[in-house]
Amino acid sequence: MHNKTIAEIARDLRNKQYSSVELTRHFLDRIQQHQELNAFVSVADEHALGQAEAADKALAAGDAPLLTGIPIGQKDIFCTRGIKTSCGSKMLDNFESPYDATVVEKFKQNGAVMPGKLNMDEFAMGSSNETSFYGAVRNPWNVDCVPGGSSGGSAAAVAARLVPAATGTDTGGSIRQPSSLCGITGLKPTYGRVSRYGMIAFASSLDQAGPMTRNAEDAAILLQAMAGFDGKDSTSVEQDVPDYRAELNNSLQGLKIGIPKEFFSSDLNADIAAVVNSAIAEYQKLGAELVEVSIPSLNQSIPVYYVIAPAECSANLSRFDGVRFGYRCENPQDLADLYTRSRGEGFGAEVKRRILMGTYALSAGYYDAYYLKAQKIRRMISEDFKKALSQADVLMGPVSPSTAFGIGEKTGDPIEMYLSDIYTIGVNLAGLPGMSVPAGFVDNKPVGLQIIGDYFAESRLLNVAHQFQQVTDWHQQIPQGFE
Ligand code: GLN
């Protein structure tokens, strides 16, 4: 059961090959058997089995939504009523949300089963899942390596077949980079496509939720459930949601693929370049044409992001003060002591580093020099992407400069860690959709191909990814020990 895609499981459930309760039990058992990966922060057995029973009834009654009875893991950044929402932080280790995030609510409406909450970097800050209060997640392809981050629990769980699919969030690469490092399919939608309501905010102008699945068809099915206008999120875009599976089988004859030359500079690791280039060659066989394009401002994206994201996070995280949410220190002497010790003890080192950077960038006298300047360069980056996308239908390149690296290898050097997102962050700054699609291996570790599209062109991206998956089997590879 665990090697089937969502589309296949949906069919099996309707053909009564197994029930949702059997399916859910099977995945809960696998989650239990593979605790060594540390992919889950909470497992919600009873909750999931209750949902599965209800799903079986709905399936028997007929006309149940496609996701009915299918277990979907939720990144622990989404608020879930009745189940702890920690966001990977000690600060929220005792937090139970009184309401569901819109994404969670939508999965419920679609009949999905929620088996548990997935581990992540603390407040989604990181590229390796090592900043989690609950410890590092292990990559099923090599358990001494990281799964990437911040949606590392989601990526590891999908790759290891502990769930058929999961949600992630991507502020600077956190869906695409772990998808690349774990050999799964991940889609970061256009900013505003999926509601951020109830998704704990990191950097509000960048955060976007999306599906993490085994293939593009499943990503289309999940996005269908997640996308749509939400009056509770002021940045949610009021635009119709298309049928994301309708274009999957369109031919790629004449597709124009833009190759940003900055993605293929001499800095790019030769083995990764070889995988990405052979994937692009596969597209040429499918009838696509290549056009060289340029994103001259791309090398500014990391410094710009590390001004804007910390600035926004310093404001968003000010609510965690020991009074309103989560962790409170023991025996505070006075109010200042309560604030400082609750925050000092509740947040981990990376989160504190970001709050310090952000507060500094926003402080009087520095605002113009850092934050305002970063916003101007952000506009330039968007314009460069827009220009490139006016010359091509999609852009392609690498997702990550390296394959999965060793646990502990980069924790001592934050800048080295920040460089993990060199190819993904520009897409967030521009608000564009991007995907990671399994494209090969280097030393038995997966490598993803990044596909970037125009605003709201998710159907196109899914079509481009799906066609590749019809002629390759990288997405069907299973890590050893998880067959
Ligand atoms: N790795 C980046 C960071 O640490 C991006 C994280 C994300 O997309 N949530 O901020």
Side-chain angles (χ1 to χ4, degrees), residues 152-206:
S154 304
V158 174
R161 275 74 176 150
L162 308 187
V163 279
T167 55
T169 62
D170 192 313
T171 303
S174 283
I175 288 176
R176 290 160 288 157
Q177 185 255 14
S179 294
S180 174
L181 270 47
C182 290
I184 65 162
T185 304
L187 167 63
K188 177 240 172 248
T190 307
Y191 181 78
R193 182 70 290 185
V194 175
S195 170
R196 293 187 299 108
Y197 180 75
M199 184 178 118
I200 295 174
F202 162 14
S204 309
S205 75
L206 299 158

Side-chain angles (χ1 to χ4, degrees), residues 75 77 121 123-128 149-151 169-177 202 207 305-306 309 350 354 417-418 420-421 424-425 428:
K75 184 175 181 178
I77 199 167
D121 277 301
F123 285 102
M125 298 173 196
S127 303
S128 67
S150 63
S151 314
T169 62
D170 192 313
T171 303
S174 283
I175 288 176
R176 290 160 288 157
Q177 185 255 14
F202 162 14
D207 300 342
Y305 174 90
Y306 280 98
E350 183 59 30
R354 306 271 179 121
M417 192 70 89
Y418 296 169
S420 305
D421 295 316
T424 50
I425 272 180
N428 301 76

Side-chain angles (χ1 to χ4, degrees), residues 42-231:
S42 325
V43 182
D45 296 68
E46 277 177 35
H47 169 87
L49 288 167
Q51 287 183 319
E53 272 172 35
D56 282 330
K57 288 199 187 109
L59 285 161
D63 205 26
L66 192 64
L67 286 175
T68 303
I70 304 182
I72 309 284
Q74 293 287 351
K75 184 175 181 178
D76 206 18
I77 199 167
F78 294 99
C79 287
T80 42
R81 188 156 38 91
I83 298 161
K84 177 171 95 167
T85 300
S86 74
C87 218
S89 182
K90 178 179 178 182
M91 187 57 98
L92 292 177
D93 184 43
N94 60 2
F95 177 62
E96 240 183 53
S97 167
Y99 66 94
D100 280 326
T102 295
V103 163
V104 172
E105 178 60 41
K106 279 175 170 270
F107 276 113
K108 278 190 181 168
Q109 282 163 9
N110 278 279
V113 168
M114 211 288 288
K117 306 292 293 288
L118 291 152
N119 205 342
M120 55 180 284
D121 277 301
E122 184 177 9
F123 285 102
M125 298 173 196
S127 303
S128 67
N129 217 117
E130 291 166 297
T131 72
S132 169
F133 173 59
Y134 303 96
V137 173
R138 293 177 180 274
N139 188 319
W141 289 98
N142 180 335
V143 292
D144 296 324
C145 290
V146 304
S150 63
S151 314
S154 304
V158 174
R161 275 74 176 150
L162 308 187
V163 279
T167 55
T169 62
D170 192 313
T171 303
S174 283
I175 288 176
R176 290 160 288 157
Q177 185 255 14
S179 294
S180 174
L181 270 47
C182 290
I184 65 162
T185 304
L187 167 63
K188 177 240 172 248
T190 307
Y191 181 78
R193 182 70 290 185
V194 175
S195 170
R196 293 187 299 108
Y197 180 75
M199 184 178 118
I200 295 174
F202 162 14
S204 309
S205 75
L206 299 158
D207 300 342
Q208 188 60 201
M212 298 175 74
T213 54
R214 294 228 296 280
N215 67 19
E217 185 182 17
D218 283 359
I221 294 172
L222 251 69
L223 184 62
Q224 201 73 48
M226 297 170 79
F229 174 70
D230 180 9

Side-chain angles (χ1 to χ4, degrees), residues 90-95 320-323 325-330 338 341-347:
K90 178 179 178 182
M91 187 57 98
L92 292 177
D93 184 43
N94 60 2
F95 177 62
F320 302 106
D321 55 6
V323 178
F325 300 92
Y327 181 79
R328 178 178 295 173
C329 67
E330 299 282 339
L338 168 77
R341 275 206 294 123
S342 297
R343 285 169 70 79
E345 293 163 16
F347 288 136

Side-chain angles (χ1 to χ4, degrees), residues 436-452:
S436 175
V437 178
F441 289 81
V442 170
D443 297 334
N444 289 320
K445 292 183 209 166
V447 175
L449 166 76
Q450 186 170 205
I451 313 172
I452 300 165

